[in-house]
Amino acid sequence: MTDTFDVIVIGGGAVGENVAARAVRGGLTAALVEHELVGGECSYWACMPSKALLRPGHALAAARRLPGVPVGDHLDAAQVLARRTYFTSNWDDAGQVQWAEGAGITVVRGRARLDGERRVVVGDRTLTARQAVAVCTGSVPSMPPLEGIADTRVWTSREATSAKEAPGRLIVLGGGVVGVELAQAWRRLGSEVDLVISGDRPLPKLEPIAGELVAEGLIEDGVRVHTGAKAVRVSRDGSEISLGLADGTVLKADELLVAVGRRPATTDLGVETLGLKPGDNLHVDDSGLVSGVDGQWLYAAGDVTGRALLTHQGKYAARVVGDVIAARAKGPVDASPWSQYAATADHASVPAVVFTDPEVASVGRTAAQAAAAGIETRVVDLDIAVAGSSVHADGYRGKTRMVVDEQRRVLVGVTFVGQDVAELLHSATVAIVGEVPLERLWHAVPSYPTISEVWLRLLEAYGL
C-alpha cells in the first residue's frame, strides 16, 4: 500500500506535531508517524511529569519560608503521583490524536524508516512525500560503559518519571538537569537519595553559581551528594542494586537512575540509505535542512539535530521547519537570520530553566562561553537581595550574573538562581534576542516590590 502526502513527519512528539501543524496551516497535507505515544517524551516521560513531581515539594518548601502559613511536615506521595498521572493522561494519547486529526494531520501508527528520497516505510506501508520529510525522532538516554550495566535493570528518566511509588533508596548517576531535578523530586517524596557526579559540582555547563546553589539546596533536603566520584560497575542482587565507585565505595539502593546524557534517536531510522551515519546527529542549517542530502527535501528539528535539547527550543525550530516547507512548496524563501524561516535563536539566545529549588534560569552565553567566542565581556555578579525577594520568602537566597558585550553594550548572557526565578527569564531573553542597548534597558523600570528589581541593581552595578 502506498500513500502520498506533501509532508511526512517522523516522530509524533511536541516537535513533530508543530512541524505538521505549521505545514498544514501553510496549505499542505501532512502525515505524522509515531511508534509510541503521540505527544512524545515531553508529554509522558519528561517535562510534564517531572514538573508535576517537583511542584508540590517546591510549594511546601515555599510555605515553610513564610511564618503564619500552616503546613504539614511531608508530602502525600500518593496524591502527588496521582496528579502526575493526571498530567500524562495515564499514558493514553487519545487526546493528542484527536487534536492532530482535528488539525488536519493524518496520524500513522508504526516505526518509520527512511528508504531513499522522499520515501518512508512504516510496516508494510510505503509513504511518499511530494515536498519533504521531516525527522523529529528526538533523543534517547545514553548508557555509560559501566561493568555489568548491560545485564542490570536500571532506571532511565522514563522509569523515574512514571514510577508508581517512591523507592525507599535511590541512587542518581549524573549531575545534569535530569539528575538534579529527579534527585530532589524523589527526596522530597520520601526516598533516601545519593547523587553521584564526576565533577566538583552539578550543572557543570552552566555558570558556577548554578551548580553551587543547587548543590546547597539538595544537601539541605538530605540528598547525599558525592562529587568527584567515578562510577565503575553496577550489579543487582534481588531487589538491591549496587553501584561501585573507583575509590572502592559501594552504594546500595532499591533503584539506580542513570542520567548521564542523551543521544540522537537515529540508530534505526534508515539514514544509511541516504549516506548518513546511524547514531549521529542530523546536522541542519537554520532552516532545518539536513546537510549531506541532495534535493532539498530532508529536514529535521529538535533533539535529533543536537542543537538545543529543550522542548521549547525544539518547538521553535519545528515552527520554522513547517513554515519553510510550506513556503518552499511555492517558491524560494529568504532564510536570513532572524527571519520567519531561520532558527537563529538556537545559536546564542537559548533560554533554559532547571526546575530545582532553588531554580536556575539562564539564557544566552555563560561568561566562559562568551570569552571563548572572542567577545570582550564585562561580568556583573550580585546577590538577589531586593525588597521583592525579602517579601517573597524569609531568608531568601539567590544570585544573578549578567554578561555584557562591552563593544556593543548589549547583554549576551544572564543567569538567575533562586526561588521562583523562572518567571524572570523571559525579560532577559527579550533583552538578548532584541539586542537592547543597556542605555535603553535602563528605561525598562521594574515594578516595586518584585524580584525583578534585581534588573535595576544589575544595571546600577554596571555603572548606569
Side-chain angles (χ1 to χ4, degrees):
M1 181 179 182
T2 300
D3 293 292
T4 302
F5 301 86
D6 293 323
V7 183
I8 300 167
V9 181
I10 303 176
V15 175
E17 288 176 327
N18 273 269
V19 171
R22 299 292 283 213
V24 169
R25 193 181 80 163
L28 304 182
T29 60
L32 184 67
V33 185
E34 175 54 52
H35 73 283
E36 290 186 302
L37 298 178
V38 175
E41 203 76 17
C42 180
S43 298
Y44 304 105
W45 299 288
C47 315
M48 295 306 294
S50 66
K51 304 316 169 275
L53 291 173
L54 283 160
R55 178 58 189 159
H58 292 0
L60 179 58
R64 286 173 172 165
R65 294 173 186 137
L66 295 172
V69 181
V71 295
D73 60 355
H74 66 277
L75 298 172
D76 184 324
Q79 289 193 45
V80 173
L81 293 173
R83 183 171 183 265
R84 178 277 321 270
T85 300
Y86 165 80
F87 276 104
T88 66
S89 301
N90 198 23
W91 295 277
D92 183 340
D93 66 356
Q96 299 266 23
V97 172
Q98 184 179 15
W99 168 85
E101 292 175 342
I105 301 165
T106 299
V107 176
V108 178
R109 297 284 192 177
R111 188 176 291 276
R113 284 183 60 83
L114 294 161
D115 185 37
E117 184 171 342
R118 294 183 172 85
R119 286 166 52 89
V120 176
V121 175
V122 185
D124 59 358
R125 189 175 179 182
T126 299
L127 309 181
T128 302
R130 297 185 189 92
Q131 300 295 334
V133 175
V135 178
C136 306
T137 51
S139 60
V140 294
S142 297
M143 283 291 140
L146 303 183
E147 178 186 329
I149 197 167
D151 304 314
T152 305
R153 177 180 58 80
V154 298
W155 275 8
T156 67
S157 54
R158 284 196 170 194
E159 289 77 19
T161 56
S162 61
K164 304 304 182 186
E165 59 184 12
R169 300 169 299 166
L170 173 67
I171 302 168
V172 179
L173 178 60
V177 176
V178 172
V180 295
E181 287 187 349
L182 291 174
Q184 188 165 56
W186 286 112
R187 175 60 191 144
R188 288 182 166 182
L189 285 167
S191 302
E192 294 183 16
V193 178
D194 287 276
L195 176 64
V196 178
I197 60 178
S198 58
D200 59 359
R201 64 176 185 271
L203 304 174
K205 295 181 180 179
L206 302 181
E207 296 283 13
I209 56 173
E212 291 162 2
L213 268 66
V214 167
E216 289 178 11
L218 291 171
I219 291 168
E220 287 178 3
D221 277 350
V223 175
R224 295 182 288 264
V225 180
H226 306 264
T227 58
K230 179 178 174 57
V232 293
R233 66 184 61 85
V234 62
S235 62
R236 183 179 284 277
D237 182 8
S239 61
E240 185 173 73
I241 196 164
S242 299
L243 181 69
L245 306 182
D247 66 0
T249 301
V250 178
L251 303 175
K252 297 181 180 293
D254 302 298
E255 301 292 349
L256 167 65
L257 165 59
V258 178
V260 296
R262 299 181 69 83
R263 57 184 176 82
T266 59
T267 302
D268 300 315
L269 189 59
V271 296
E272 65 277 7
T273 67
L274 309 176
L276 303 176
K277 183 179 178 182
D280 282 0
N281 292 323
L282 296 181
H283 299 286
V284 297
D285 65 14
D286 284 356
S287 74
L289 197 63
V290 176
S291 303
V293 178
D294 295 332
Q296 206 174 67
W297 64 272
L298 184 65
Y299 293 79
D303 284 12
V304 76
T305 68
R307 283 168 67 108
L309 277 63
L310 296 158
T311 296
H312 52 270
Q313 213 67 21
K315 290 164 70 174
Y316 159 72
R319 292 189 292 271
V320 169
V321 168
D323 288 350
V324 164
I325 293 171
R328 282 182 174 155
K330 301 169 185 175
V333 303
D334 175 12
S336 58
W338 302 115
S339 71
Q340 179 183 353
Y341 305 120
T344 313
D346 276 356
H347 298 292
S349 308
V350 176
V353 177
V354 184
F355 289 90
T356 45
D357 180 19
E359 287 178 338
V360 181
S362 63
V363 59
R365 304 179 194 263
T366 64
Q369 290 167 345
I375 299 171
E376 180 188 340
T377 62
R378 180 176 170 192
V379 176
V380 178
D381 290 321
L382 284 180
D383 290 334
I384 299 177
V386 294
S389 61
S390 65
V391 171
H392 199 75
D394 283 2
Y396 189 100
R397 288 182 300 166
K399 294 181 180 294
T400 182
R401 167 170 283 190
M402 179 175 79
V403 184
V404 180
D405 179 335
E406 283 289 84
Q407 291 188 345
R408 295 187 298 142
R409 301 271 289 183
V410 298
L411 300 178
V412 293
V414 181
T415 297
F416 304 103
V417 188
Q419 180 184 328
D420 299 327
V421 296
E423 298 304 329
L424 298 178
L425 185 58
H426 198 58
S427 56
T429 304
V430 170
I432 289 175
V433 170
E435 299 181 328
V436 181
L438 293 186
E439 289 76 12
R440 176 59 63 88
L441 195 59
W442 171 255
H443 293 281
V445 182
S447 298
Y448 181 92
T450 66
I451 302 175
S452 290
E453 193 182 6
V454 72
W455 276 109
L456 171 60
R457 303 307 170 205
L458 283 167
L459 294 172
E460 286 180 331
Y462 181 79
L464 295 180

